[in-house]
Amino acid sequence: MDAAEIIHEKFLARVGKGSLPRRVARVQPADVGLARETMVELFYSQCMSRQMDRLSRRLQARGEGFYTIGSSGHENNATVAEAFRADDMAFLHYRSNAFQIHRSKKLPGQTPAWDMLLSFAASAEDPISGGRHKVIGSKALAIPPQTSTIASHLPKAVGAAFSIGIAKMLKLQDAVLAQDSVVLCSFGDASANHSTAQGAFNTAAWAAYQGTPMPLVFICEDNGIGISTRTPKGWIEATFQDRTALKYIHCSGLDMADAYRGAAEAAHYARTKRQPVFLHMDCVRLYGHAGSDVQATYLPKHLIEQDEERDPLLFSASLLVEQDILLGKDILAIYNETEATLNRVAEEAIRRPKLITSKAVMESIVPPKREIARANTPSPEQRKALFARDLGMMEKPQHMARLLSWALADLMLAHGNIIVAGEDVGPKGGVYNVTAKLHERFGSCRVINTLLDEQSILGLGIGAAHNDLLAITEIQFLAYVHNAEDQIRGEAATLSFFSDGQYTNPMIIRIAGLGYQKGFGGHFHNDNSLAVFRDIPGLILACPSNGADAVEMLRECVRLALEEQRVIVFVEPIALYMTRDLHEEGDALWTAPYAAPGEAKPIRLGELGVHGEGTDLAIASYANGYYLSRQAEKILREQHGLKLRVIDLRWLAPLNEDAIVEATKGCARVLIVDECRRTGSQSEALMALFAERTPHIPCRRITAEDSFIPLGRAATITLPSRDSIVEAALELVRG
């Protein structure tokens, strides 16, 4: 017999015979403020969750359901829903059906059974994901959906909790979360060991230790096992009970009254103290990890039977009988009526429309546009007060780093909800001085020095977006993002897709990167691969080559984030930060005066930069490659008589294919110059583009070698150079 049916039959038999287990936790409901009516409602929620688990397996067997990771054994997370407000944002793991079911009772008009069964059936009418995944989530109930719950949602929960205090200090009127809100996130004991989880715990405690408000409750639902690997007995308690600045509360997830006691205590502490809590709830995993998981292959029979005896639904029944609230027959009636109701609803849900076209599937990858309040238009007096002595320098040509710094300041002046966050971005001004004077101008509330943890930096940005703050986060070096890339790929970029556009987390991630640095580097500081970003659906990848473009592209990125709710990676080429000259020392051709907002022509998403009108050869490149191609163009024109045009791609994802083809129109040949490694670089997509769209035009590429970058004088040997571009161009032209 299926494990779920074994548990089901045992429940019916024991309740029917009155052979209910003796409660271990002796907490009395009245002592913790748990009303009799509330206990009955909690039991209804628990029964619905349990019966949904059984139903999911039957639907899968019929080919009508597609998800069988259930909540059986975790039903007392319904008490957590009871203890917290309906507007306390909850980032939940996949065993939280009972939580969502019970929270729905706090808001009139909710239909949790219908909504969740549409999700089980992958119907296009599923109100949270539109049929893209079975997820716990609801916009009305402040439950953003999660699909990968091996701790990847914890950093953004930390960010959301942190944002509440920031929004309060900034007196933002449009903040999503109330000033006294609490954020909660749930996960399993196995996930607590994940580096992402450990980083989140550490970040929350690190902030709280310094007195930063962090109204956050971590809920560890400890069922003692991760798929087939058991958690050492006592591990969670031993690991978390004495952590600095992290309040530890333990409760039994098998007992309704004690679970509510722990949840209520956690909620009160986090709400009043504005400090983080680790709520350790003992649970049991019934059935196995999912429908396909047979516990008998890795657990001895006596342990499986021990867990079956710890069924929290039996303990809830025992409590209700003990308190003279319900009789056994009443309990069975609730349980059986819930099953019958869900069976009827399921037959309707499985007949509802499904996603049947790629267009429909992809419709929510790009978030919907939104109406936003007009940005503040700073007066000349405000800008004069902000920039003070820098105003006199703005009319003189400046390098990219300084221009970006001023652009950030102007954007923060115009948009009061922008914050800048990252390691060393404060008084130091960042590793390359790009955030210089921002801390002095806007203070530590808006220019936030973070701890050294890229996952937490990105999580801060994602979580802040849930509270209508726009975070411009900084990752110091491109190579540093790889330990945290799932925060971009698995969290930030997927939220709109899996919430049918209802939830978004617009943000801008500034990253210093690429090669060609002089006197400093090695592969951790000279990383020349952008492949990690290019295949993320919906992500915008911007990469300016010069200061004037960088200013206008950054302004466009802010517009895209605020109006179109996009997630943007803004890669700044380190080697060009301080570059002033193009062809010879002192020519200052790679500098520009600072254009105040509105003074220069905007550079919109996908808009290319084109230098020259020649038709002998088009060179397509970006960043350092564009800079070197401009140097090569002068030699090819003056020494070899070639008439060229050099195209700056600027926006590397999504590629504006039509604009690229149009920019090369009339050219006899195309040379692609890509400073990233040959394998996985932008050049592969560009070669495919020209082969498909203009197969009659000869096309060649020059790229970096498939090598890491060494230190010292050898740092540029594997990269394209001015001279290698000249050589490749001549070979292509001469055929």
PDB file of all heavy atoms in Angstrom, residues 9 49 89 117 124 192 365 399 473 520 523 543 565 567 634 650 668:
ATOM      1  N   GLU A   9      -5.172   5.259   6.720  1.00  0.00           N
ATOM      2  CA  GLU A   9      -5.917   4.187   7.374  1.00  0.00           C
ATOM      3  C   GLU A   9      -5.652   4.173   8.883  1.00  0.00           C
ATOM      4  O   GLU A   9      -6.564   3.924   9.684  1.00  0.00           O
ATOM      5  CB  GLU A   9      -5.536   2.837   6.763  1.00  0.00           C
ATOM      6  CG  GLU A   9      -5.967   2.664   5.311  1.00  0.00           C
ATOM      7  CD  GLU A   9      -7.476   2.667   5.139  1.00  0.00           C
ATOM      8  OE1 GLU A   9      -8.192   2.394   6.138  1.00  0.00           O
ATOM      9  OE2 GLU A   9      -7.959   2.943   4.025  1.00  0.00           O
ATOM     10  N   SER A  49      -4.794  20.356   4.251  1.00  0.00           N
ATOM     11  CA  SER A  49      -3.423  20.146   3.800  1.00  0.00           C
ATOM     12  C   SER A  49      -3.135  18.658   3.623  1.00  0.00           C
ATOM     13  O   SER A  49      -2.554  18.225   2.626  1.00  0.00           O
ATOM     14  CB  SER A  49      -2.448  20.770   4.801  1.00  0.00           C
ATOM     15  OG  SER A  49      -1.114  20.521   4.430  1.00  0.00           O
ATOM     16  N   MET A  89       5.103  39.521   5.408  1.00  0.00           N
ATOM     17  CA  MET A  89       5.533  38.802   4.205  1.00  0.00           C
ATOM     18  C   MET A  89       6.177  37.479   4.589  1.00  0.00           C
ATOM     19  O   MET A  89       7.008  37.407   5.494  1.00  0.00           O
ATOM     20  CB  MET A  89       6.492  39.659   3.382  1.00  0.00           C
ATOM     21  CG  MET A  89       6.839  39.065   2.031  1.00  0.00           C
ATOM     22  SD  MET A  89       7.560  40.282   0.884  1.00  0.00           S
ATOM     23  CE  MET A  89       6.073  41.171   0.374  1.00  0.00           C
ATOM     24  N   LEU A 117      -5.532  23.705  -5.943  1.00  0.00           N
ATOM     25  CA  LEU A 117      -5.751  22.569  -6.841  1.00  0.00           C
ATOM     26  C   LEU A 117      -5.544  22.961  -8.299  1.00  0.00           C
ATOM     27  O   LEU A 117      -5.097  22.142  -9.108  1.00  0.00           O
ATOM     28  CB  LEU A 117      -7.140  21.976  -6.618  1.00  0.00           C
ATOM     29  CG  LEU A 117      -7.257  21.180  -5.309  1.00  0.00           C
ATOM     30  CD1 LEU A 117      -8.697  20.778  -5.038  1.00  0.00           C
ATOM     31  CD2 LEU A 117      -6.359  19.946  -5.355  1.00  0.00           C
ATOM     32  N   ALA A 124      -3.584  26.987 -16.422  1.00  0.00           N
ATOM     33  CA  ALA A 124      -3.241  28.369 -16.757  1.00  0.00           C
ATOM     34  C   ALA A 124      -4.010  29.358 -15.896  1.00  0.00           C
ATOM     35  O   ALA A 124      -3.641  30.534 -15.822  1.00  0.00           O
ATOM     36  CB  ALA A 124      -3.522  28.633 -18.232  1.00  0.00           C
ATOM     37  N   ALA A 192      19.179  24.025   6.371  1.00  0.00           N
ATOM     38  CA  ALA A 192      19.879  24.905   7.311  1.00  0.00           C
ATOM     39  C   ALA A 192      21.389  24.780   7.184  1.00  0.00           C
ATOM     40  O   ALA A 192      22.133  25.667   7.600  1.00  0.00           O
ATOM     41  CB  ALA A 192      19.457  24.592   8.743  1.00  0.00           C
ATOM     42  N   ILE A 365       7.906  36.256 -18.298  1.00  0.00           N
ATOM     43  CA  ILE A 365       9.351  36.356 -18.071  1.00  0.00           C
ATOM     44  C   ILE A 365       9.755  37.814 -17.894  1.00  0.00           C
ATOM     45  O   ILE A 365      10.491  38.171 -16.975  1.00  0.00           O
ATOM     46  CB  ILE A 365      10.134  35.711 -19.230  1.00  0.00           C
ATOM     47  CG1 ILE A 365      10.008  34.192 -19.171  1.00  0.00           C
ATOM     48  CG2 ILE A 365      11.616  36.114 -19.176  1.00  0.00           C
ATOM     49  CD1 ILE A 365      10.680  33.473 -20.309  1.00  0.00           C
ATOM     50  N   HIS A 399      36.987  60.983 -16.643  1.00  0.00           N
ATOM     51  CA  HIS A 399      36.978  59.569 -16.973  1.00  0.00           C
ATOM     52  C   HIS A 399      35.698  58.901 -16.472  1.00  0.00           C
ATOM     53  O   HIS A 399      34.895  59.496 -15.740  1.00  0.00           O
ATOM     54  CB  HIS A 399      38.220  58.867 -16.414  1.00  0.00           C
ATOM     55  CG  HIS A 399      38.432  59.071 -14.941  1.00  0.00           C
ATOM     56  ND1 HIS A 399      37.523  58.689 -13.973  1.00  0.00           N
ATOM     57  CD2 HIS A 399      39.479  59.624 -14.263  1.00  0.00           C
ATOM     58  CE1 HIS A 399      37.981  58.977 -12.780  1.00  0.00           C
ATOM     59  NE2 HIS A 399      39.164  59.557 -12.915  1.00  0.00           N
ATOM     60  N   THR A 473      23.056  47.446  -6.201  1.00  0.00           N
ATOM     61  CA  THR A 473      24.046  46.690  -5.440  1.00  0.00           C
ATOM     62  C   THR A 473      25.352  46.605  -6.221  1.00  0.00           C
ATOM     63  O   THR A 473      25.360  46.623  -7.445  1.00  0.00           O
ATOM     64  CB  THR A 473      23.536  45.280  -5.131  1.00  0.00           C
ATOM     65  OG1 THR A 473      23.217  44.616  -6.357  1.00  0.00           O
ATOM     66  CG2 THR A 473      22.305  45.325  -4.249  1.00  0.00           C
ATOM     67  N   PHE A 520      47.666  45.008 -11.815  1.00  0.00           N
ATOM     68  CA  PHE A 520      46.868  44.338 -10.802  1.00  0.00           C
ATOM     69  C   PHE A 520      45.999  43.319 -11.518  1.00  0.00           C
ATOM     70  O   PHE A 520      45.634  43.508 -12.671  1.00  0.00           O
ATOM     71  CB  PHE A 520      45.986  45.344 -10.060  1.00  0.00           C
ATOM     72  CG  PHE A 520      45.175  44.740  -8.935  1.00  0.00           C
ATOM     73  CD1 PHE A 520      45.808  44.142  -7.864  1.00  0.00           C
ATOM     74  CD2 PHE A 520      43.795  44.776  -8.954  1.00  0.00           C
ATOM     75  CE1 PHE A 520      45.072  43.600  -6.821  1.00  0.00           C
ATOM     76  CE2 PHE A 520      43.053  44.240  -7.919  1.00  0.00           C
ATOM     77  CZ  PHE A 520      43.699  43.654  -6.842  1.00  0.00           C
ATOM     78  N   HIS A 523      43.268  36.035 -12.204  1.00  0.00           N
ATOM     79  CA  HIS A 523      41.956  35.705 -12.757  1.00  0.00           C
ATOM     80  C   HIS A 523      40.785  36.091 -11.863  1.00  0.00           C
ATOM     81  O   HIS A 523      39.665  36.224 -12.343  1.00  0.00           O
ATOM     82  CB  HIS A 523      41.893  34.217 -13.103  1.00  0.00           C
ATOM     83  CG  HIS A 523      41.693  33.310 -11.931  1.00  0.00           C
ATOM     84  ND1 HIS A 523      42.719  32.943 -11.086  1.00  0.00           N
ATOM     85  CD2 HIS A 523      40.577  32.695 -11.444  1.00  0.00           C
ATOM     86  CE1 HIS A 523      42.253  32.133 -10.156  1.00  0.00           C
ATOM     87  NE2 HIS A 523      40.963  31.963 -10.335  1.00  0.00           N
ATOM     88  N   CYS A 543      26.754  46.907 -20.805  1.00  0.00           N
ATOM     89  CA  CYS A 543      28.206  46.976 -20.677  1.00  0.00           C
ATOM     90  C   CYS A 543      28.723  48.183 -21.461  1.00  0.00           C
ATOM     91  O   CYS A 543      28.971  48.093 -22.663  1.00  0.00           O
ATOM     92  CB  CYS A 543      28.843  45.685 -21.194  1.00  0.00           C
ATOM     93  SG  CYS A 543      30.600  45.535 -20.814  1.00  0.00           S
ATOM     94  N   GLN A 565      10.302  47.281 -14.269  1.00  0.00           N
ATOM     95  CA  GLN A 565      10.525  46.311 -13.202  1.00  0.00           C
ATOM     96  C   GLN A 565      11.550  45.241 -13.569  1.00  0.00           C
ATOM     97  O   GLN A 565      11.428  44.084 -13.166  1.00  0.00           O
ATOM     98  CB  GLN A 565       9.198  45.667 -12.790  1.00  0.00           C
ATOM     99  CG  GLN A 565       8.109  46.685 -12.447  1.00  0.00           C
ATOM    100  CD  GLN A 565       6.923  46.055 -11.754  1.00  0.00           C
ATOM    101  OE1 GLN A 565       6.941  45.841 -10.555  1.00  0.00           O
ATOM    102  NE2 GLN A 565       5.896  45.746 -12.505  1.00  0.00           N
ATOM    103  N   VAL A 567      15.311  43.284 -13.981  1.00  0.00           N
ATOM    104  CA  VAL A 567      16.543  42.948 -13.272  1.00  0.00           C
ATOM    105  C   VAL A 567      17.696  43.187 -14.237  1.00  0.00           C
ATOM    106  O   VAL A 567      17.707  42.646 -15.348  1.00  0.00           O
ATOM    107  CB  VAL A 567      16.539  41.481 -12.796  1.00  0.00           C
ATOM    108  CG1 VAL A 567      17.870  41.121 -12.146  1.00  0.00           C
ATOM    109  CG2 VAL A 567      15.386  41.245 -11.832  1.00  0.00           C
ATOM    110  N   LYS A 634      41.697  53.509 -36.700  1.00  0.00           N
ATOM    111  CA  LYS A 634      42.541  54.618 -37.146  1.00  0.00           C
ATOM    112  C   LYS A 634      43.704  54.105 -37.986  1.00  0.00           C
ATOM    113  O   LYS A 634      44.026  54.665 -39.045  1.00  0.00           O
ATOM    114  CB  LYS A 634      43.062  55.386 -35.930  1.00  0.00           C
ATOM    115  CG  LYS A 634      43.909  56.625 -36.260  1.00  0.00           C
ATOM    116  CD  LYS A 634      44.268  57.368 -34.974  1.00  0.00           C
ATOM    117  CE  LYS A 634      44.971  58.697 -35.265  1.00  0.00           C
ATOM    118  NZ  LYS A 634      46.321  58.515 -35.817  1.00  0.00           N
ATOM    119  N   ARG A 650      26.930  47.758 -26.645  1.00  0.00           N
ATOM    120  CA  ARG A 650      26.414  48.352 -25.406  1.00  0.00           C
ATOM    121  C   ARG A 650      25.557  47.384 -24.589  1.00  0.00           C
ATOM    122  O   ARG A 650      25.833  47.133 -23.431  1.00  0.00           O
ATOM    123  CB  ARG A 650      25.592  49.612 -25.706  1.00  0.00           C
ATOM    124  CG  ARG A 650      26.396  50.790 -26.213  1.00  0.00           C
ATOM    125  CD  ARG A 650      25.455  51.907 -26.602  1.00  0.00           C
ATOM    126  NE  ARG A 650      26.108  53.157 -26.953  1.00  0.00           N
ATOM    127  CZ  ARG A 650      25.522  54.124 -27.652  1.00  0.00           C
ATOM    128  NH1 ARG A 650      24.276  53.971 -28.063  1.00  0.00           N
ATOM    129  NH2 ARG A 650      26.165  55.243 -27.915  1.00  0.00           N
ATOM    130  N   ALA A 668      30.767  45.198 -46.604  1.00  0.00           N
ATOM    131  CA  ALA A 668      31.198  44.026 -47.367  1.00  0.00           C
ATOM    132  C   ALA A 668      31.617  42.875 -46.468  1.00  0.00           C
ATOM    133  O   ALA A 668      31.553  41.707 -46.883  1.00  0.00           O
ATOM    134  CB  ALA A 668      32.357  44.411 -48.286  1.00  0.00           C
TER     135      ALA A 668
END
